[in-house]
Amino acid sequence: MEFFCQSLLLLLITLIASICILQKRKLSGTKTLPPGSFGWPLAGETYQFLFNKIEHFLHDRLQKHSSEIFKTKLLGEPTVVLCGPGANKFISMNEPKVVKVWYLKTQRRFFNLPDQPPHAAAKPNQGAVASAPVKILGFLKPEGLVRYMGRKIESITHQHFIKHWEGKTELKVYPLVKDFSFALAYQFYLGIDAPHHVSKFGSRFDDLYSGIYSVPVYFPGSAYYRALRAASAIRIEIQCVIKEKIDALSKGEVMDDLLAHIVGAELSGKYVPKIEISNVIMGLMNSSYIPIAITLAFMIKQIGQRLDIYQKILSEHVDVIRSKGSGAALDWDSIQKMKYTWAVAQETMRLYPTAPGAFREAVEDITFEGFTIPKGWKIFWAVMGTNKNPNYFDEPESFDPTRFEKNVPAPYTFIPFGAGPRSCPGKDYTRFVILTFIHNLITKFKWEVVLPGEKVHGALIPIPAEGIPIRLHSL
């Protein structure tokens, strides 16, 4: 019996080894592939990617292979990970010529993106769908933000502080800024400020966001299951709002939210079907509110731990008030004067990145740094891979906003909003919201951090374990 078990085990090991060897030969052929490992059969290194901290996943392999390019297998796909300024420049300058966007199965299902074979020709109507984000860029640029939403963003921020901060002596920052960011997104994108709408769909969007980097296994209770149900409910909600917008606009009502802006274009025959509008809006909302909340939370923590940073930011904002006049609304000129505050925000994004990277696909065989990336292989573009690299940032673990004031980082070493034709369209919105919030906070309160050594959870995005509790003092 023991001999039989040992023989069976040996046979199993031999079979697995044979599968790995055959797979490697099939994938590599005669090409000089990057160093790396495809991991386990079928699973590859998906578990390590999804459930270990992303910076550890990258660091361990970069150290092992002494290269900023390595191969792996993620989500069933042979994948090359690119990490470094050269890679950042290469991807941003060669899209869509030699690389194109590739969506995870979760993204395709949640946002109704085309689930076509990798090299199939685009369907006739996909050009219009792909152009949808381009047509709204004017609304998301500084002049559009100030024109349509400047006073509303400041008003919502002001009301948030009255309701949740004033009169408090202790509070947890992260839950509050997350609620604020979501309520603002609801107003900005949908034109809705009704609290019951916001509270009803806040948890839905949380489920959707959590499901993006999940294993796409559909069973009750799984992150994918919850996210798929949330996406369906959100889409129905947005389409109801679209119908309301169409009815209101047809009656001559004036509305200045992003959805009304898009629906107005659609009514004049210049846009895309309503289902695509709902997908675009849902995608924009999903990608904006959590990153803003994370950046604000950790930024507030760092300011509360460093009196020198607090004093310098306060001085800058007092100067802004003096120059624009007390009571006057913030405009883009005021935002531009908050240079040090934005440097603090950038340093926060460097240490606590909210976007680990993005997937692309090789349109043709690519030669990069002497290695071949075969046509059809997936590329994980690790945009945050340079953030804590000592080759690009001195003392990378220290919080030092001056690195963004004086000798700014070298090109392509820090790209929190991506780079190239698909860089984040909401970067100006993010800047406007963060700086407006800090302006209201720093001119009203001083605070201390209760748990300086609070742990940070999350594999792909950082989440404060205890919500960043602080003690608050009114000025």
Side-chain angles (χ1 to χ4, degrees):
M1 184 67 179
E2 183 179 353
F3 174 76
F4 174 76
C5 291
Q6 290 177 347
S7 299
L8 187 62
L9 180 61
L10 180 61
L11 179 63
L12 182 61
I13 293 172
T14 303
L15 179 61
I16 293 174
S18 299
I19 292 173
C20 290
I21 292 170
L22 289 173
Q23 182 189 54
K24 185 174 181 180
R25 287 177 178 174
K26 181 181 177 181
L27 290 171
S28 62
T30 58
K31 298 177 172 63
T32 305
L33 297 179
S37 168
F38 290 118
W40 290 96
L42 302 179
E45 295 189 306
T46 301
Y47 180 86
Q48 296 91 322
F49 176 76
L50 292 179
F51 301 109
N52 293 335
K53 285 191 178 294
I54 182 65
E55 59 189 64
H56 297 160
F57 176 86
L58 294 173
H59 179 267
D60 292 348
R61 287 153 183 78
L62 295 175
Q63 289 290 310
K64 180 178 180 180
H65 304 302
S66 300
S67 172
E68 293 186 337
I69 173 174
F70 62 87
K71 68 176 182 290
T72 181
K73 192 174 185 181
L74 302 176
L75 303 165
E77 299 281 354
T79 304
V80 170
V81 177
L82 294 181
C83 177
N88 293 340
K89 181 177 181 180
F90 177 82
I91 294 291
S92 62
M93 295 186 68
N94 286 282
E95 187 177 1
K97 293 177 289 184
V98 297
V99 296
K100 66 178 182 180
V101 67
W102 181 75
Y103 294 109
L104 299 171
K105 181 179 179 180
T106 53
Q107 293 171 306
R108 296 196 299 271
R109 289 296 306 278
F110 300 160
F111 301 105
N112 279 348
L113 297 169
D115 191 10
Q116 62 178 17
H119 307 298
K123 296 177 183 178
N125 67 338
Q126 284 178 11
V129 174
S131 68
V134 176
K135 292 178 180 289
I136 61 176
L137 288 181
F139 198 93
L140 291 171
K141 288 182 177 178
E143 56 272 21
L145 287 169
V146 173
R147 176 184 174 187
Y148 294 106
M149 283 294 293
R151 284 191 175 274
K152 282 192 176 180
I153 290 174
E154 193 165 10
S155 174
I156 292 169
T157 307
H158 181 65
Q159 292 301 316
H160 169 80
F161 279 104
I162 292 176
K163 183 176 180 180
H164 298 289
W165 294 67
E166 290 185 5
K168 304 294 192 302
T169 56
E170 286 197 11
L171 52 79
K172 290 189 176 183
V173 172
Y174 182 63
L176 286 181
V177 294
K178 187 157 75 75
D179 288 347
F180 159 76
S181 181
F182 184 69
L184 186 60
Y186 233 79
Q187 171 66 54
F188 180 72
Y189 292 109
L190 299 179
I192 295 174
D193 58 6
H196 71 278
H197 271 282
V198 176
S199 60
K200 179 181 177 182
F201 281 89
S203 61
R204 299 278 194 183
F205 270 95
D206 284 349
D207 286 342
L208 177 61
Y209 194 89
S210 299
I212 296 296
Y213 286 102
S214 65
V215 178
V217 178
Y218 188 82
F219 64 87
S222 70
Y224 179 71
Y225 177 88
R226 292 194 304 271
L228 202 57
R229 290 171 64 87
S232 177
I234 292 167
R235 188 176 292 107
I236 292 171
E237 167 78 357
I238 294 176
Q239 294 208 39
C240 289
V241 177
I242 290 173
K243 185 179 183 304
E244 293 172 2
K245 298 286 182 188
I246 291 174
D247 292 343
L249 288 170
S250 65
K251 295 175 183 176
E253 291 187 30
V254 178
M255 292 176 284
D256 55 8
D257 57 90
L258 182 58
L259 183 57
H261 183 74
I262 297 173
V263 169
E266 195 267 344
L267 285 174
S268 63
K270 298 178 182 179
Y271 222 76
V272 293
K274 298 175 186 62
I275 183 67
E276 303 303 341
I277 296 175
S278 64
N279 289 332
V280 169
I281 290 293
M282 186 165 66
L284 287 170
M285 291 181 69
N286 179 71
S287 62
S288 67
Y289 83 101
I290 289 287
I292 287 175
I294 290 172
T295 300
L296 275 174
F298 284 108
M299 190 176 175
I300 292 167
K301 179 180 181 181
Q302 293 293 338
I303 297 170
Q305 293 180 150
R306 293 274 300 274
L307 182 60
D308 59 324
I309 294 176
Y310 172 86
Q311 294 288 2
K312 194 168 181 179
I313 292 179
L314 179 60
S315 176
E316 183 172 76
H317 287 261
V318 169
D319 288 342
V320 167
I321 291 174
R322 188 179 297 116
S323 63
K324 73 179 179 66
S326 180
L330 289 173
D331 54 20
W332 195 251
D333 287 339
S334 299
I335 295 296
Q336 294 283 70
K337 292 174 182 176
M338 302 176 189
K339 297 184 185 301
Y340 181 73
T341 312
W342 185 240
V344 175
Q346 288 178 293
E347 180 70 343
T348 303
M349 289 186 278
R350 184 186 70 81
L351 284 175
Y352 305 97
T354 59
F359 280 94
R360 299 290 185 263
E361 180 182 313
V363 175
E364 58 187 42
D365 281 1
I366 298 171
T367 300
F368 182 75
E369 293 191 357
F371 299 109
T372 298
I373 305 173
K375 178 181 178 180
W377 275 36
K378 305 307 177 280
I379 297 169
F380 180 69
W381 178 19
V383 296
M384 49 75 69
T386 53
N387 288 15
K388 295 184 181 180
N389 191 321
N391 293 327
Y392 313 120
F393 295 97
D394 293 334
E395 300 182 14
E397 295 293 339
S398 67
F399 190 86
D400 180 13
T402 61
R403 68 174 94 240
F404 290 96
E405 277 193 303
K406 302 170 184 176
N407 300 318
V408 296
Y412 297 102
T413 58
F414 180 68
I415 51 170
F417 300 104
R422 293 189 64 86
S423 60
C424 177
K427 57 186 178 183
D428 290 321
Y429 170 78
T430 298
R431 185 177 181 184
F432 198 100
V433 171
I434 288 174
L435 295 182
T436 299
F437 190 94
I438 295 298
H439 178 75
N440 279 267
L441 175 65
I442 203 80
T443 55
K444 290 179 171 69
F445 304 100
K446 189 175 181 180
W447 61 96
E448 298 104 32
V449 176
V450 175
L451 300 173
E454 179 180 354
K455 292 182 178 180
V456 178
H457 290 168
L460 294 172
I461 59 169
I463 302 294
E466 305 297 332
I468 308 183
I470 62 171
R471 294 189 186 91
L472 200 62
H473 310 278
S474 296
L475 295 180

